[in-house]
Amino acid sequence: MKTQERLNDILKNILEQYGVEDKTLNRLTHKYMLHIDELSEKYQYLEDGNLNETCIEECLQKATEIYRFINFSDNLLVIYDNLFGQENEREKEFLESTLTHISKYDTYKLKWQYPIYKNDLPIHQDNEIYTCIRHLYRVKEINIQKLFREIILSDIGGEMDFCSSIFIIDINSGCIFHLYDDRGIYILALKEEYLTDVWREFHDSVFTLDYQNFKIKVNTLYWIDETKNDPNDLCLHGDITVTIGGEELSSSCTVSAAALRMLKTLWEDHLLTKGGQILPCCGNFMIPNETLDEVEIIGCDTGIDWTILHEDGMIKLITEKENTVFVYYLQYKEEVLRFVDMVENYYKISLPKNIPEDEFERNGYIAFWNEWHRRRGRKSEK
């Protein structure tokens, strides 16, 4: 980065890489985003109403551990979004006391409002347009223990109001760290691999409150003739229960077709369609393309379906009963891949398949696995 660049230009450049215009960062979502929503298992208050200092210390320790694990560089952009424009010099001075080697400072204002959804009741709709005062600092280092403690206390009786207001950005990588209060942290990245190690290290604390929004439960897997392991049966069947929000969708379906269709939704939207349901009753024909790397599976009109949309960095699921759930992309991806791998492993432990002599059927089966492995990120197995 050129030293003469204005800080708001640096921020706007990073936000453009996230696919958004300049906006308040508390509304920022992205495909590659982790939500760590369990900093402590303890309650914030004691029975006498006083703060539970053990809870506060556990939150501080977890937030500090995660931030240090990410290993941000010394080329940092710290954003303080005073969301409602009520300038508090004391909070600004405190924030600056936690920053080391401030090489540049900038400030400006921007308008924002809460999103309004069509199903919101009027009482839940906020039409007010707010003015955010944004403070930007380019620094080398942060006293995170001092700063994080005040952020954690913001919503439970602290002296500073930093709730959902402080964002630390690594200018080199574009990664964003947002401890919003005692309840959790958002980490956003421009590349999925930036989050892989964080997710692996802190997996038990990621998405803990949201995982029940979308679950795939495999009850049984079997070939169409349940009495034997049939090497001539190319399509795996099973009894599946998918949970979307509070709604359970159960089906005896062709799980091999279901898994490939779910795999496709990691990149593509899926709309309700007859013959192309996510949980199809059957998959009678596999129609390959000319290069044998994609396949269209044709079945009957029976099955269970739902809409899957990529929206503002999230996955939006809408059932046929119009129940709507938003799921983090990485959460959705992990659940889909867990299901996909379970289906593939069942093929592996079963008798090898007899490849059809008929050219059309043979090419359809080859194209099925070519697309499967390409989308799963593996080379095709011969």
Side-chain angles (χ1 to χ4, degrees):
M1 293 291 178
K2 298 178 182 178
T3 56
Q4 64 267 29
E5 280 187 295
R6 289 174 56 86
L7 296 187
N8 61 330
D9 291 332
I10 294 175
L11 176 61
K12 288 176 181 178
N13 177 60
I14 292 173
L15 292 180
E16 284 177 2
Q17 295 178 67
Y18 279 100
V20 298
E21 298 178 350
D22 197 5
K23 61 191 292 186
T24 55
L25 299 185
N26 67 319
R27 312 307 305 173
L28 179 61
T29 58
H30 190 254
K31 184 176 183 178
Y32 304 127
M33 177 172 68
L34 295 181
H35 183 199
I36 298 172
D37 54 16
E38 188 172 84
L39 299 182
S40 173
E41 295 181 352
K42 295 181 173 59
Y43 188 58
Q44 300 96 324
Y45 301 100
L46 301 173
E47 291 184 0
D48 61 7
N50 291 320
L51 281 176
N52 185 347
E53 285 296 333
T54 302
C55 173
I56 305 306
E57 288 305 314
E58 287 185 356
C59 290
L60 178 59
Q61 180 179 351
K62 177 65 74 67
T64 301
E65 182 183 5
I66 293 169
Y67 180 80
R68 288 176 174 163
F69 184 86
I70 299 173
N71 195 26
F72 273 25
S73 72
D74 62 357
N75 189 18
L76 302 175
L77 183 62
V78 177
I79 308 296
Y80 169 30
D81 275 352
N82 190 318
L83 291 171
F84 301 101
Q86 298 173 346
E87 191 67 271
N88 189 323
E89 192 63 27
R90 184 177 175 218
E91 291 172 353
K92 181 173 176 290
E93 289 176 356
F94 174 84
L95 172 61
E96 292 174 354
S97 74
T98 69
L99 307 179
T100 303
H101 302 300
I102 300 175
S103 62
K104 188 168 290 190
Y105 166 77
D106 201 354
T107 184
Y108 61 95
K109 298 180 180 180
L110 64 160
K111 304 288 186 180
W112 70 282
Q113 67 181 124
Y114 288 105
I116 297 175
Y117 302 105
K118 66 177 183 178
N119 294 326
D120 286 347
L121 296 174
I123 194 173
H124 296 143
Q125 295 179 359
D126 186 347
N127 295 296
E128 182 101 16
I129 297 178
Y130 298 99
T131 298
C132 169
I133 300 176
R134 170 168 289 166
H135 303 277
L136 307 90
Y137 302 87
R138 188 168 189 171
V139 304
K140 286 189 174 182
E141 194 174 341
I142 305 167
N143 184 337
I144 55 173
Q145 290 268 326
K146 182 179 178 181
L147 177 59
F148 286 1
R149 182 177 180 83
E150 289 303 322
I151 296 174
I152 289 166
L153 290 170
S154 290
D155 198 45
I156 53 175
E159 297 181 359
M160 307 288 172
D161 184 11
F162 286 133
C163 186
S164 300
S165 298
I166 304 296
F167 305 83
I168 303 171
I169 303 176
D170 187 331
I171 296 175
N172 294 346
S173 68
C175 288
I176 301 175
F177 182 94
H178 175 43
L179 169 65
Y180 52 91
D181 56 33
D182 63 294
R183 293 168 295 178
I185 298 166
Y186 287 110
I187 305 170
L188 296 88
L190 295 171
K191 298 179 181 179
E192 183 176 352
E193 54 263 35
Y194 291 163
L195 301 178
T196 303
D197 290 342
V198 183
W199 195 349
R200 186 181 297 117
E201 182 72 15
F202 301 99
H203 190 276
D204 292 342
S205 300
V206 178
F207 304 137
T208 61
L209 299 178
D210 305 293
Y211 254 127
Q212 299 309 312
N213 286 347
F214 176 67
K215 298 292 290 184
I216 305 170
K217 181 182 179 182
V218 177
N219 301 308
T220 56
L221 294 174
Y222 49 85
W223 306 107
I224 196 65
D225 185 347
E226 298 180 44
T227 62
K228 60 182 180 179
N229 189 341
D230 188 354
N232 293 312
D233 189 354
L234 305 183
C235 299
L236 182 61
H237 294 256
D239 299 328
I240 308 296
T241 300
V242 177
T243 301
I244 298 177
E247 186 176 348
E248 288 191 350
L249 308 172
S250 296
S251 174
S252 296
C253 64
T254 305
V255 297
S256 49
L260 183 59
R261 286 175 181 170
M262 287 193 195
L263 197 54
K264 290 182 179 183
T265 67
L266 296 181
W267 294 271
E268 304 168 5
D269 291 344
H270 172 82
L271 302 178
L272 295 174
T273 176
K274 290 185 177 181
Q277 301 91 339
I278 291 293
L279 300 182
C281 169
C282 54
N284 296 324
F285 302 102
M286 291 187 283
I287 304 176
N289 65 355
E290 291 185 0
T291 54
L292 301 188
D293 60 359
E294 286 196 8
V295 66
E296 182 180 358
I297 301 174
I298 304 297
C300 67
D301 290 344
T302 303
I304 294 178
D305 207 9
W306 59 90
T307 297
I308 304 168
L309 303 175
H310 293 249
E311 188 171 297
D312 295 329
M314 304 285 282
I315 299 296
K316 184 178 181 180
L317 307 176
I318 309 172
T319 70
E320 292 183 277
K321 293 182 179 179
E322 297 189 348
N323 293 322
T324 301
V325 168
F326 285 90
V327 182
Y328 298 103
Y329 172 80
L330 292 178
Q331 169 195 353
Y332 179 78
K333 179 180 179 181
E334 181 181 61
E335 190 67 7
V336 167
L337 293 185
R338 187 181 64 82
F339 172 56
V340 165
D341 290 345
M342 192 177 301
V343 171
E344 183 174 356
N345 287 336
Y346 198 87
Y347 273 90
K348 289 180 177 179
I349 64 174
S350 300
L351 292 175
K353 295 301 175 184
N354 295 326
I355 306 301
E357 293 183 3
D358 179 83
E359 183 180 9
F360 177 79
E361 292 185 12
R362 180 174 65 251
N363 287 343
Y365 188 67
I366 291 172
F368 173 87
W369 284 111
N370 283 341
E371 180 175 4
W372 181 293
H373 290 127
R374 175 173 59 80
R375 291 186 180 274
R376 183 60 184 87
R378 301 173 183 167
K379 293 181 180 179
S380 298
E381 296 177 356
K382 296 182 179 179

